[in-house]
Amino acid sequence: MLGELRTGERRPLARLLTRVEGGDPSVRALLPDLFAAGHGGHLVGITGPPGSGKSTLVSALIGEWRKRGRRVGVLAVDPSSPYTRGAILGDRIRMMEHAADRDVFMRSMASRGELGGLAATTWIAAAALDAAGFDPILIETVGAGQSEVEIARLAETTVVVEVPEMGDEVQAIKAGLLEVADIIAVNKGDRPGADRAARQLRAMLSTAGGRIERKPPPVLVTTATTAEGVPALVDAIEAHRSTARSPMRARERAASQVRRALADLAARHAEADPGWEASVQAVADRELDPFTAAERLLDAGRLE
Ligand SMILES: Nc1nc2c(ncn2[C@@H]2O[C@H](COP(=O)(O)OP(=O)(O)OP(=O)(O)O)[C@@H](O)[C@H]2O)c(=O)[nH]1
Ligand SMILES: [Mg+2]
């Protein structure tokens, strides 16, 4: 199975991802070998508000990395993503171009697999792309819900895609940006005010005092539709790679992943416990507080 993956053939990879997405329980047994088989592909999160141009930018990024001789994997964690449907004709044509390229692998992830939430499913899928030798591996998420933020946080390098019309939302955006952004792309650079928006963001971030001992993220202007600014964005992502691999950052990410796995596992074991229904009912009837209920379920010893 893993041998097949390493050949770089698309079909075994596609089959494995279908199993991951479909919640096939046999995937669990593959995980140790799957993670061990990784080549260290750069995990790059592309996130931002709906319609900011993430998919178009991903397409342009693919083009630039292909010019640099790299094999690019893409996971789109969004049911409405144009990798499968939607999107205007121009986007589709660009996607089709890449779809014919055997050194580009694109896949939409929509469902939640057996081994936990969308974040877990996405990370197993990313590991599969890594084992198949794709580098970088781009993960597009709409930066809205908690699970998307979680996915972004697990990427080694996260690019937040904004648009020039941020206006009064800038302050609100700021908090979210500092939370996840390693690089900010002000996309739709062909629209008026893009350079000004980028300057505003830079000024704001330089005084924001976000996470201590961290430099403010670089702010770049891109036009995804023409690929203007995209080579510079690729340079910035590449430059961030070594920062992302500092022992401290690697540990932070690993801790998040283990915490996530632990929460998923504990929840699954508790739900399988014969005492689950009674515990839930007791909480609903206000006879028990949720914390005590959870503690008792954990103590039931199902978490091996
Ligand atoms: N003018 C202009 N339009 C752009 C640019 N980039 C993307 N668009 C357009 O913006 C629209 C949304 O682009 P998408 O790439 O689908 O945006 P997205 O962020 O992936 O959208 P969701 O996945 O739905 O959140 C499309 O009509 C694109 O053609 C740009 O740089 N300039
Ligand atoms: Mg999209």
Side-chain angles (χ1 to χ4, degrees), residues 197-230:
R199 276 198 307 276
Q200 270 181 346
L201 268 177
R202 275 184 213 113
M204 192 186 74
L205 291 169
S206 68
T207 59
R211 282 189 244 177
I212 349 144
E213 101 268 337
R214 239 194 222 188
K215 279 192 301 186
V219 179
L220 287 86
V221 177
T222 59
T223 303
T225 42
T226 62
E228 194 166 335
V230 170

Side-chain angles (χ1 to χ4, degrees), residues 160 162-164 166 184-189 194 197-198 201 219-222:
V160 176
E162 290 288 350
V163 287
M166 286 169 283
I184 298 164
V186 176
N187 190 44
K188 310 202 181 183
L201 268 177
V219 179
L220 287 86
V221 177
T222 59

Side-chain angles (χ1 to χ4, degrees), residues 49-56 58 76 78 80-83 91 95 140-142:
S52 57
K54 298 176 294 296
S55 299
T56 313
V58 162
D78 173 11
S80 70
S81 166
Y83 298 110
D91 281 354
M95 293 297 167
E140 178 190 337
T141 58
V142 178

Side-chain angles (χ1 to χ4, degrees), residues 150-293:
E150 212 169 84
I151 292 163
R153 199 173 285 133
L154 288 170
E156 293 177 293
T157 300
T158 297
V159 179
V160 176
V161 183
E162 290 288 350
V163 287
E165 300 83 8
M166 286 169 283
D168 295 340
E169 295 157 47
V170 157
Q171 285 303 324
I173 289 168
K174 184 167 103 176
L177 282 181
L178 285 175
E179 181 82 11
V180 296
D182 297 304
I183 297 164
I184 298 164
V186 176
N187 190 44
K188 310 202 181 183
D190 52 329
R191 288 195 182 165
D195 289 320
R196 192 166 49 84
R199 276 198 307 276
Q200 270 181 346
L201 268 177
R202 275 184 213 113
M204 192 186 74
L205 291 169
S206 68
T207 59
R211 282 189 244 177
I212 349 144
E213 101 268 337
R214 239 194 222 188
K215 279 192 301 186
V219 179
L220 287 86
V221 177
T222 59
T223 303
T225 42
T226 62
E228 194 166 335
V230 170
L233 178 57
V234 166
D235 289 343
I237 294 170
E238 296 285 359
H240 186 265
R241 189 175 178 129
S242 58
T243 311
R245 295 197 171 176
S246 74
M248 195 188 81
R249 293 284 307 262
R251 263 193 66 94
E252 276 176 21
R253 259 191 322 276
S256 298
Q257 278 181 302
V258 177
R259 237 178 251 125
R260 184 69 257 167
L262 203 55
D264 287 340
L265 267 183
R268 279 204 303 141
H269 282 285
E271 283 176 44
D273 192 280
W276 170 258
E277 289 303 333
S279 302
V280 170
Q281 195 55 52
V283 174
D285 295 341
R286 308 189 68 84
E287 287 163 6
L288 202 59
D289 70 278
F291 216 87
T292 304

